[in-house]
Amino acid sequence: MSRPVPTRALRAAALLAVAGLVITGCSKSKDDAASAKGATKVKIEITDDGCKTTPSSISAGAATFEVTNTSASKVTEAELLQKSGEIVGEKENLTPGLSGTFSLRLEAGSYTVYCPNAKTEKATFTVTGSAAAPSQDPAVKTALDQAVSGYKQYVIAEVDKLVPATKQFTDAVRAGDIPGAQAAYAPARYYYEEVEPVAESFGDLDPDIDARLDDVEDPSQWTGFHRLEKALWADKSLAGMSPIADKLDTDVAKLKSLVATTDYQPAQLANGATELLNEVASSKITGEEDRYSHTDLSDFQANVAGGQKAFQLLVPALQKIDPQLASQVTQEFTDVLDALKPYQHSAGVFVDYSTVSDDQRRVLTQKVDALAEPLSQVAAKVTG
C-alpha cells in the first residue's frame, strides 16, 4: 500500500515489538550485495522535512537507490516517480533505524523523489544523457526479455480473474447478502494481493482499492475492500454500501485497462517481489491488514505467491548470473509456503488469524525474514 499515513508503519513496528517479532533492515553488507554492478549509487535520506537525495542528478543507466530513515517519525517511504506520476521504484515501511535499496535502469528525463507526509514532499531528480546497452550474455538477455514478457501476461491474467471475483463480492454487497459477501471477500482480494506492487504504481488507484481506515485523512472518503470489510464484520450492516461497491468495480476495471498497456524491466520484477515480502512483514504478520475479518493469511499467501511468480520468471537468467542465489531464494520461497500449510483448511481457506499465537507468528516472521534478505539482492543482479 503506497502513500500511508505515518501512524500505520509506526503502529506496525510497535505491534511487532510487542509480539517479540523483528523486521530487519539492510546492513551495510546487505546494501552492498543489493547494489547493481557498475550502477550509480544514489542515497536518499528520509527526514521529516523532506528526502535528501545525493546526488540529485545522474547519467542514464543502471542506478541503485539506498534509502535510509535515521530518525524521521512522520515519513516512512520514498518513491521515484516518472513524469507521468507512475511509481518506478520505492522503499516503504522504513521506520527509524531501517534502510533498504532498489535498483533500476533509468532513461534520461525528469523524475520526482516523493516522500509522503514530509514537510516538503517532492523534489526533482534528473537523469541525463543516454545509457549504453548493458554488456550481457545474449542468453541472459533473452531470458530477461522472456521474464518481463511473461510477467506482463501473468499480471494481465490475474487482473482478469480479479474483475469477476470482485463483482461476485460486490454483487453480494449490493444484495445485502452478508454471509455471501463475507465468503467472497478473501478470494477476490487474493488476486489483487498477488499483483499489488503493480497496482501501487498507478498513483491513487491502490489507496482507492485497498486503503485501511488509518490510510485516509477523511473517513467519509474511505473506499475499497477494507471499507466493505468493516461493514461486513465490524458494523454487520451493508446499509449505504452500494456506492462503495460500485466504485470498487470501477477502480478494478481501471486497473485492468492500465495493466494491459504496462511494460516492465527485470529489476521491477525483483523489486516488486521484495515489496510483496515487505507487505507480509509490515501488515500481514501483524494482523493489521484484515483487522475485521482476520483473513490475513490468505493475503499472506497471495503476496508470497505473487513474489514467487515474479522471481521464478527471473530464475533462468539468474541461474546464469548467480546460480547459488537462485537456488537459495527458490528454497526460501518453498520454506515460507510450507510454513503456511498448517494454517490452511483447504485451497484458499485459512484459520482465523486472531487464533494464531505470538510464538506461531514469530516462526512465520523468521521464515519471511530468511527469504527477504537474499531476495533483496536479485534486482541488482538483473540490472547490471
Side-chain angles (χ1 to χ4, degrees), residues 203-338:
D204 291 332
L205 187 57
D206 174 62
D208 286 347
I209 293 173
D210 199 39
R212 285 168 286 280
L213 178 58
D214 339 341
D215 301 328
V216 295
E217 294 183 4
D218 181 357
S220 69
Q221 300 302 307
W222 184 23
T223 62
F225 277 113
H226 292 299
R227 176 65 189 93
L228 296 172
E229 179 200 8
K230 180 177 183 294
L232 287 164
W233 276 275
D235 304 336
K236 301 188 185 303
S237 171
L238 291 172
M241 288 297 104
S242 288
I244 305 296
D246 293 344
K247 186 176 187 322
L248 181 57
D249 285 334
T250 298
D251 289 336
V252 167
K254 182 178 179 181
L255 177 62
K256 178 178 178 177
S257 68
L258 289 169
V259 300
T261 59
T262 300
D263 295 312
Y264 309 92
Q265 57 176 275
Q268 286 178 300
L269 275 63
N271 290 333
T274 300
E275 287 305 312
L276 282 167
L277 265 290
N278 291 340
E279 281 285 324
V280 171
S282 66
S283 62
K284 275 66 174 183
I285 286 178
T286 63
E288 186 183 9
E289 179 79 17
D290 295 295
R291 65 190 67 170
Y292 310 110
S293 63
H294 305 302
T295 56
D296 304 84
L297 289 176
S298 175
D299 287 357
F300 184 134
Q301 186 186 59
N303 282 163
V304 176
Q308 184 183 45
K309 179 63 177 182
F311 170 74
Q312 286 175 335
L313 288 165
L314 292 170
V315 164
L318 191 61
Q319 284 176 331
K320 299 178 186 301
I321 299 168
D322 190 333
Q324 183 176 352
L325 181 61
S327 177
Q328 180 184 2
V329 176
T330 297
Q331 183 59 54
E332 299 291 359
F333 264 116
T334 299
D335 290 348
V336 171
L337 290 171
D338 284 347

Side-chain angles (χ1 to χ4, degrees), residues 332-356:
E332 299 291 359
F333 264 116
T334 299
D335 290 348
V336 171
L337 290 171
D338 284 347
L340 278 176
K341 288 179 180 178
Y343 307 102
Q344 189 168 9
H345 291 312
S346 58
V349 180
F350 290 84
V351 301
D352 184 307
Y353 193 56
S354 66
T355 67
V356 179

